[in-house]
Amino acid sequence: MNNTTTVVMLLDNPLISDSRVEKEAVSFINSGFNVIVYCVSDKNLPSEETRNGIAIKRILSTFFQKPFGKNYNEELKLFANKILQVSFDILHCHDYLLIPLAALIKQKEPGIFLTYDSHEYLIGWPYYKEIPSLVNRLKGYLVWRRMLQNEKNASKSINALLTSSTAISSALKKRFKLPFAGISVRNIPEFKKLDPTISLRETLKISNNRKLLVHSGSVYMPLKFIEQLIRLINNSINLSLVFIGNRSIHGDLKEEYREAQHIYFIDYQPNLLLDQLASCDAGILYTRSKSYKAHQLGSSNKLMEYGLAGLPTIGTDQPAHQELKEQFHHIELFYENNITSFKSATNRMIDLLPEKKKNAEGIKHSLSWKNEFRPVIELYKKVADRMAEA
């Protein structure tokens, strides 16, 4: 491989912290590539810096958030020309907001190899539905439709597709009518040696007679289901539940259920998360698979975090969970928004807990970011070799 091959990444945030993006960039650097990330400017951050070998250039405005904006096309051309001032071989676009910019760069320099790294399954994520105001919801719908059209138009220019699950890869291949298959790259955390001295059970003073369930991260459960879940734990003789999070709903639930029995809330601490998860008995993974196709076909960070912590999982019935269940036999599935189904899955988990824990332990020895991302590294090395020979 030509060790001077440069990968330019496009990113729709200021790269304060973005674990997937940074893991990918560092993986490229460790494989001999140069990496430049062009991202959004931020008055509180330097316009240029180097982090872990990644050259970060914060030059982009947020024009891409308003595809109907009067200056949208002008800024598209402006930033395409700015980025093309640098010589590079591979353009790696993170997510849908910047894929029109990537396609324009490719149009100006057809020899560039363009990868679309689709973090979200946009057509399966009609986010506008959550906007409270009817007028703003209508505007949101129109913006969503325009972004979908921009994404589909830009897909004609891409040479490779990365997604977070095999199901999304298949769906986007069909939607974009691609002549090649997508590469599934699940967001597997970097493995760390777990600290056995960190125990949520001890911290929260939970009796050994009670099995400790944990829900980590964003809460997608409907309020009625949350009420039913709290009641189930309250009435149980052998279950406790801890929520780990930092979103506003986490604080709201903590306030509302401060008197609930055997329910706990702790703040998210990224450096401690895997250790804390590993000290629990089973994780809860609830997604809105009925409401959002993106959830149904996706693979959540939570699924990978639970796995790397060796934690058996009670998860909604959907492809990514089914795949991992068939591979490791550590997951019990339940139907979304069905507390009876959840209770049955929990009972099955508790009945088979020693076996499920043993199965889950095998995950951290089988899954790794390095292995997950290897197909992308191999692809880029082949591209680099071809370009070196040209």
Side-chain angles (χ1 to χ4, degrees):
M1 189 195 83
N2 179 3
N3 286 334
T4 62
T5 299
T6 296
V7 177
V8 161
M9 289 185 164
L10 302 181
L11 183 63
D12 60 11
N13 65 64
L15 194 51
I16 298 171
S17 176
D18 194 318
S19 65
R20 182 184 178 98
V21 173
E22 293 180 74
K23 281 188 297 187
E24 290 186 9
V26 169
S27 296
F28 288 136
I29 291 168
N30 290 342
S31 299
F33 295 91
N34 299 323
V35 176
I36 305 171
V37 178
Y38 286 95
C39 54
V40 176
S41 61
D42 187 308
K43 64 181 180 181
N44 297 316
L45 296 170
S47 58
E48 293 191 13
E49 68 169 299
T50 300
R51 184 194 305 166
N52 297 324
I54 310 165
I56 303 170
K57 298 181 184 293
R58 297 184 177 92
I59 68 165
L60 301 178
S61 70
T62 55
F63 77 96
F64 51 80
Q65 296 176 355
K66 299 177 180 179
F68 291 110
K70 63 179 181 179
N71 296 324
Y72 181 85
N73 290 328
E74 288 77 7
E75 296 214 46
L76 203 64
K77 295 172 186 174
L78 170 68
F79 289 115
N81 290 333
K82 280 188 177 182
I83 291 168
L84 281 169
Q85 291 174 6
V86 171
S87 176
F88 59 94
D89 307 293
I90 299 172
L91 182 59
H92 189 112
C93 180
H94 289 282
D95 225 5
Y96 62 91
L97 286 169
L98 291 176
I99 194 62
L101 175 59
L104 181 58
I105 292 171
K106 170 81 172 181
Q107 180 184 327
K108 290 175 177 286
E109 288 290 340
I112 289 172
F113 186 92
L114 173 56
T115 295
Y116 179 32
D117 193 337
S118 177
H119 297 196
E120 299 287 350
Y121 182 54
L122 182 60
I123 195 169
W125 183 47
Y127 58 85
Y128 65 88
K129 290 183 178 180
E130 297 183 12
I131 300 174
S133 162
L134 180 60
V135 173
N136 289 336
R137 195 180 314 139
L138 177 59
K139 290 179 181 177
Y141 169 76
L142 295 174
V143 169
W144 179 70
R145 293 298 307 178
R146 171 61 65 88
M147 288 178 173
L148 279 173
Q149 190 59 53
N150 287 348
E151 181 191 44
K152 192 166 186 179
N153 290 342
S155 70
K156 299 170 186 175
S157 303
I158 68 176
N159 303 106
L161 171 70
L162 307 188
T163 71
S164 61
S165 74
T166 54
I168 290 179
S169 286
S170 297
L172 285 183
K173 182 181 188 298
K174 182 178 180 180
R175 170 171 162 74
F176 297 152
K177 299 178 181 176
L178 299 175
F180 51 84
I183 301 174
S184 171
V185 179
R186 295 166 296 183
N187 196 16
I188 299 174
E190 295 283 5
F191 180 72
K192 56 167 280 188
K193 187 176 181 181
L194 299 174
D195 185 348
T197 65
I198 295 176
S199 170
L200 285 183
R201 181 179 296 278
E202 292 181 8
T203 301
L204 301 172
K205 297 180 172 54
I206 297 172
S207 165
N208 288 329
N209 295 328
R210 306 190 75 89
K211 302 303 180 186
L212 179 55
L213 307 182
V214 59
H215 181 286
S216 173
S218 299
V219 179
Y220 295 119
M221 304 169 185
L223 291 178
K224 182 178 179 181
F225 187 90
I226 293 173
E227 293 172 3
Q228 294 171 326
L229 174 61
I230 299 295
R231 193 179 308 122
L232 172 66
I233 302 298
N234 271 341
N235 295 335
S236 170
I237 61 171
N238 66 342
L239 294 176
S240 295
L241 170 61
V242 57
F243 287 90
I244 301 175
N246 60 0
R247 300 290 178 90
S248 58
I249 190 172
H250 184 259
D252 294 342
L253 292 176
K254 182 178 181 179
E255 176 64 23
E256 183 172 356
Y257 293 106
R258 63 184 184 276
E259 302 298 331
Q261 297 294 311
H262 311 296
I263 307 294
Y264 306 88
F265 297 87
I266 63 172
D267 293 335
Y268 168 67
Q269 300 178 72
N271 58 319
L272 296 180
L273 180 62
L274 289 185
D275 300 307
Q276 292 172 331
L277 294 177
S279 70
C280 300
D281 291 300
I284 297 174
L285 210 173
Y286 187 108
T287 66
R288 295 174 291 189
S289 55
K290 288 182 181 177
S291 309
Y292 291 97
K293 198 75 171 180
H295 276 213
Q296 183 190 77
L297 301 184
S299 176
S300 69
N301 293 348
K302 204 178 303 183
L303 177 64
M304 297 296 109
E305 289 166 351
Y306 288 170
L308 265 290
L311 189 66
T313 300
I314 305 164
T316 41
D317 191 355
Q318 60 194 82
H321 302 172
Q322 292 163 355
E323 286 177 9
L324 221 59
K325 176 182 179 178
E326 290 171 8
Q327 186 175 0
F328 295 104
H329 309 288
H330 72 299
I331 296 177
E332 287 295 337
L333 300 173
F334 68 95
Y335 297 118
E336 175 192 350
N337 203 18
N338 186 323
I339 195 66
T340 302
S341 178
F342 175 84
K343 184 176 180 180
S344 297
T346 302
N347 289 338
R348 293 195 302 272
M349 176 64 73
I350 300 305
D351 289 344
L352 299 171
L353 194 56
E355 177 186 339
K356 296 291 186 181
K357 281 190 172 184
K358 183 178 178 181
N359 294 342
E361 278 294 314
I363 298 176
K364 57 191 175 189
H365 304 296
S366 301
L367 297 182
S368 73
W369 172 258
K370 184 177 180 180
N371 289 338
E372 191 77 3
F373 203 61
R374 182 174 288 122
V376 184
I377 296 294
E378 291 174 351
L379 172 63
Y380 279 19
K381 284 182 176 180
K382 289 178 182 176
V383 172
D385 288 340
R386 285 202 306 267
M387 290 184 170
E389 292 169 1

